[in-house]
């Protein structure tokens, strides 16, 4: 318990030191721009501007953005709804999109109540299949090359490296191409998603200025499913080390 509390305290202190100055600068910049806008456009009234800003923020949370004289829609089409369903039952919960109707919220509760256990069962089965594949390859190597401990260690290392490539190191290249993110932003998104932390600061397929192929969100959904199963095995290994 002391180690747990100390670890959280250390994390809070480091994050405060790293992020607090940037937060203060962003707040000061926003305030300067706000007063500059009012000063340069005397016809604007502060209460009206405040209401407009609040409306824009609320609309953005609902997935609606202004594009000239029109608005962009599409987060609740079938593709967007399917991706939301994935983020719900995997408990990623990005937070950038949520039901706004009473019926939608009630359905989301019932859907998650049965979907989360179903997701956990499926992830466990996928993880077990991955483990069985590694063990089968290790036994095959033992029989062919008469290795013992070396075969198991080699296969576990190969599984770890392959998983790193497929689920953490290569996907950022795709995100850089489709989303315009830098490699480190794509890597950050990959880990935050597969670990189900899901901050929601980076979410795929949400840029209204980009055109996404129809297969994009479907492939990402499969990547999330198998990537979560692989990362769960890695986290389980870390748990065993800590215990």
């Amino acid at each position: 318990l002391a180690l747990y509390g100390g670890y959280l305290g250390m994390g809070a202190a480091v994050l405060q030191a790293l992020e607090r100055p940037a937060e203060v600068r962003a707040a000061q910049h926003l305030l300067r721009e706000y007063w500059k806008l009012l000063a340069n456009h005397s016809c604007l009234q502060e209460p009206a501007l405040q209401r407009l800003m609040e409306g824009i923020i609320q609309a953005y949370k609902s997935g609606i953005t202004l594009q000239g004289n029109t608005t962009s829609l599409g987060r609740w089409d079938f593709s967007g709804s399917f991706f939301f369903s994935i983020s719900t039952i995997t408990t990623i919960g990005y937070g950038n999109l949520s039901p706004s109707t009473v019926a939608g919220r009630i359905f989301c509760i019932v859907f998650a109540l049965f979907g989360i256990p179903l997701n956990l069962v499926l992830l466990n089965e996928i993880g077990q299949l991955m483990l069985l594949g590694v063990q089968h390859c290790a036994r095959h190597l033992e029989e062919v090359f008469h290795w013992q401990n070396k075969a198991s260690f080699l296969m576990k290392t190969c599984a770890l490296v392959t998983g790193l490539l497929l689920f953490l190191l290569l996907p950022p290249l795709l995100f850089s191409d489709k989303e315009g993110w830098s490699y480190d932003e794509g890597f950050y998104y990959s880990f935050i998603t597969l670990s189900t932390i899901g901050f929601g600061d980076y979410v795929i397929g949400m840029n209204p200025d980009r055109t996404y192929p129809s297969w994009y969100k479907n492939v990402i959904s499969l990547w999330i499913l198998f990537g979560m199963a692989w990362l769960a095995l890695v986290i389980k290994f870390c748990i065993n080390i800590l215990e």
Side-chain angles (χ1 to χ4, degrees):
L1 184 60
L3 179 62
Y4 186 79
Y7 192 76
L8 288 176
M10 180 271 293
V14 171
L15 286 170
Q16 181 184 20
L18 293 174
E19 297 296 330
R20 183 64 175 179
E23 180 187 40
V24 171
R25 288 194 300 271
Q28 291 172 345
H29 176 73
L30 177 63
L31 201 56
R32 284 195 302 269
E33 292 296 318
Y34 178 76
W35 289 113
K36 188 188 298 183
L37 181 65
L38 286 175
N40 293 337
H41 301 82
S42 56
C43 60
L44 286 175
Q45 298 296 318
E46 187 177 349
L49 179 60
Q50 192 69 32
R51 287 195 300 272
L52 177 62
M53 290 170 59
E54 291 172 357
I56 291 173
I57 292 171
Q58 189 60 42
Y60 182 77
K61 288 180 178 179
S62 302
I64 302 170
T65 55
L66 287 171
Q67 292 181 326
N69 294 325
T70 61
T71 56
S72 68
L73 300 172
R75 291 191 179 185
W76 284 114
D77 58 8
F78 184 80
S79 177
S81 300
F82 184 82
F83 192 72
F84 174 79
S85 300
I86 285 281
S87 68
T88 298
I89 66 172
T90 55
T91 70
I92 295 172
Y94 289 114
N96 69 309
L97 189 63
S98 57
S100 59
T101 63
V102 174
R105 289 168 180 167
I106 293 173
F107 173 77
C108 192
I109 292 171
V110 177
F111 181 73
L113 184 64
F114 293 96
I116 291 172
L118 177 63
N119 179 70
L120 291 174
V121 169
L122 181 61
L123 288 181
N124 183 59
E125 290 296 325
I126 293 174
Q128 291 300 320
L129 285 174
M130 289 179 175
L131 276 178
L132 286 174
V134 171
Q135 292 170 356
H136 176 75
C137 291
R139 284 196 300 269
H140 185 68
L141 285 177
E142 288 176 3
E143 293 172 357
V144 174
F145 297 102
H146 304 290
W147 292 342
Q148 293 180 354
N149 296 331
K150 288 182 179 180
S152 178
F153 176 77
L154 180 63
M155 288 311 305
K156 287 178 180 178
T157 303
C158 288
L160 179 63
V161 172
T162 303
L164 279 172
L165 284 172
L166 289 178
F167 302 121
L168 288 178
L169 297 180
L170 293 179
L173 299 176
L174 176 63
F175 300 140
S176 296
D177 178 57
K178 300 301 179 185
E179 304 290 343
W181 299 340
S182 63
Y183 184 85
D184 61 293
E185 289 173 328
F187 183 84
Y188 167 80
Y189 167 78
S190 299
F191 182 81
I192 293 301
T193 294
L194 297 185
S195 60
T196 73
I197 296 172
F199 288 126
D201 48 351
Y202 289 92
V203 184
I204 60 106
M206 296 300 175
N207 190 340
D209 297 326
R210 287 182 172 266
T211 302
Y212 300 98
S214 58
W215 52 265
Y216 183 52
K217 285 188 177 180
N218 296 329
V219 169
I220 298 303
S221 298
L222 287 175
W223 166 75
I224 288 175
L225 191 62
F226 286 93
M228 281 180 61
W230 172 80
L231 192 58
L233 292 177
V234 175
I235 291 173
K236 185 178 180 181
F237 177 70
C238 294
I239 290 173
N240 292 335
I241 292 176
L242 287 173
E243 288 181 340

